[in-house]
Amino acid sequence: MDEDLKKTVSAFRKLVTTLKRGKTHERLTEAAGIRLDRPGVEILVSLLDAGEPRRIGAIAEALQVESPHVTRHVAALEQRGLVERVRDPDDGRAWRIALTEEGAVAASKCAQVTTDWFEGAMAGWSAADRAELSRLMEKLTDDVCAHLRAQMVVK
Amino acid sequence: MDEDLKKTVSAFRKLVTTLKRGKTHERLTEAAGIRLDRPGVEILVSLLDAGEPRRIGAIAEALQVESPHVTRHVAALEQRGLVERVRDPDDGRAWRIALTEEGAVAASKCAQVTTDWFEGAMAGWSAADRAELSRLMEKLTDDVCAHLRAQMVVK
DNA sequence: TATTGTTATACTCTATAACTATA
DNA sequence: TATAGTTATAGAGTATAACAATA
């Protein structure tokens, strides 16, 4: 039974190793027809996922990086007209980062290309297995994030 | 049905984002009681996984990085006595990188800490779900790698 | 003064290119 | 000369620390 866990971890390691590399990003942006660095794509997609403008700090937390990193890349995205700063409705002093129309299109393309790519890889999968994988991956993600938060509290 | 795929990709993205960061590596090495950088751990664990000495090129391919990267980090690991060079039995001119006893211990510890951590995160999982996740993750990894290879051939 | 974000700096990881050695 | 590996160099990506601004 411990065997199952080992296999899962090992498969996961391999998957991450394979998909994390620079070539994967190149293929993604090429297919999407967009010239953008990796952090740029990550920020755009995270804004698309969120479905609403987010503050710098919120983006940094979602991506698990430090805020200076986000500051810099948001500045670049802003210059290219892919995001813009809007007033925070809840907090007059603060700004939120919003996708522009062009930014939303770019983010959607990137997300779509990734989904399509997985669709290609999983072409032979039954509907049952797809549903099962989706359920288990969401569960795993939730539990991993919860476990992480629990650990941070302890420290 | 496309919904399942989207959910899977999105969960996967979140999982990778969360686990890829530097803090995760710090926690890992601290728990394992080893001071080692990320590529170092990756090389050691990949040698442990392989179960036998590997050539530089084979390690690079497994980790999906370029060989100079491996060369440099293997040199550092060699200096610390965690790996050593042995003659390739199949090819007299070549060398293979082997774990030393100390290196094997370090690699095992790192692998164990990761497994333990997932064990903690998945404490509430039923045996059935664990088995199912293991099966689907292996399948996904296989199919993703196959898809990647197929694409590389086309190019 | 507490919170949030920014600027400045430096370090880690990884790729590319040019070179070496060995069969 | 083909293959595997190495050395040298450069460029992403990210963190830390010091600072600024706003309530």
Side-chain angles (χ1 to χ4, degrees):
Chain A
M1 57 164 90
D2 194 41
E3 269 319 296
D4 282 335
L5 192 59
K6 268 193 187 169
K7 279 189 199 169
T8 299
V9 170
S10 162
F12 184 71
R13 196 179 350 243
K14 193 169 174 189
L15 206 51
V16 171
T17 298
T18 308
L19 295 178
K20 189 181 71 180
R21 63 183 175 157
K23 292 286 161 73
T24 302
H25 177 255
E26 274 175 36
R27 180 161 20 77
L28 166 74
T29 49
E30 191 188 333
I34 290 164
R35 260 187 64 75
L36 211 52
D37 57 15
R38 234 174 309 178
V41 171
E42 283 176 4
I43 289 169
L44 290 185
V45 172
S46 91
L47 285 172
L48 184 70
D49 256 16
E52 60 175 14
R54 307 306 293 271
R55 294 164 72 151
I56 294 278
I59 298 172
E61 200 195 327
L63 299 181
Q64 294 289 334
V65 295
E66 300 301 320
S67 52
H69 183 58
V70 177
T71 295
R72 174 191 313 204
H73 287 280
V74 160
L77 292 170
E78 197 179 3
Q79 270 209 326
R80 289 190 47 185
L82 297 172
V83 302
E84 63 191 352
R85 281 161 197 271
V86 299
R87 277 284 172 206
D88 188 327
D90 302 334
D91 184 348
R93 64 188 161 165
W95 296 90
R96 286 175 183 258
I97 312 302
L99 288 170
T100 62
E101 210 167 314
E102 193 187 344
V105 169
S108 301
K109 268 190 200 159
C110 290
Q112 189 61 49
V113 164
T114 304
T115 308
D116 287 350
W117 192 88
F118 271 90
E119 177 60 47
M122 294 169 64
W125 285 50
S126 70
D129 273 0
R130 285 166 187 245
E132 194 67 352
L133 179 66
S134 161
R135 177 179 75 83
L136 293 171
M137 281 294 282
E138 288 200 317
K139 187 173 168 181
L140 179 63
T141 304
D142 286 348
D143 287 352
V144 160
C145 290
H147 193 56
L148 216 52
R149 273 197 303 278
Q151 273 191 331
M152 285 168 62
V153 171
V154 171
K155 294 224 166 159
Chain B
M1 58 166 89
D2 194 40
E3 269 319 297
D4 282 335
L5 192 58
K6 267 194 188 167
K7 278 189 199 168
T8 299
V9 171
S10 161
F12 185 70
R13 195 176 352 242
K14 193 169 173 189
L15 207 50
V16 171
T17 298
T18 307
L19 295 179
K20 189 181 72 182
R21 63 183 175 156
K23 293 285 161 74
T24 301
H25 176 256
E26 274 175 38
R27 182 161 17 80
L28 166 73
T29 49
E30 192 188 332
I34 290 164
R35 259 186 66 72
L36 211 50
D37 58 14
R38 236 174 307 178
V41 171
E42 283 175 6
I43 290 170
L44 289 185
V45 172
S46 91
L47 285 172
L48 184 69
D49 257 14
E52 59 176 14
R54 306 306 294 271
R55 292 164 72 150
I56 294 279
I59 298 172
E61 202 197 325
L63 299 181
Q64 295 287 335
V65 295
E66 301 301 321
S67 53
H69 182 60
V70 178
T71 295
R72 172 190 314 205
H73 286 281
V74 161
L77 292 170
E78 198 179 0
Q79 271 210 325
R80 287 188 49 183
L82 298 171
V83 302
E84 62 191 352
R85 282 160 196 271
V86 298
R87 277 283 172 207
D88 187 329
D90 301 334
D91 183 350
R93 64 186 160 167
W95 296 89
R96 288 176 182 255
I97 313 303
L99 288 169
T100 62
E101 209 167 314
E102 192 186 344
V105 170
S108 301
K109 268 189 201 159
C110 290
Q112 188 61 49
V113 164
T114 304
T115 309
D116 287 350
W117 191 88
F118 271 89
E119 175 59 48
M122 294 169 64
W125 286 50
S126 70
D129 274 359
R130 284 164 187 247
E132 194 68 354
L133 178 66
S134 161
R135 178 179 74 83
L136 293 171
M137 281 295 283
E138 288 200 318
K139 186 173 170 181
L140 179 64
T141 303
D142 287 348
D143 288 353
V144 160
C145 290
H147 192 57
L148 215 52
R149 273 196 304 276
Q151 274 192 332
M152 286 169 60
V153 171
V154 171
K155 294 229 162 153

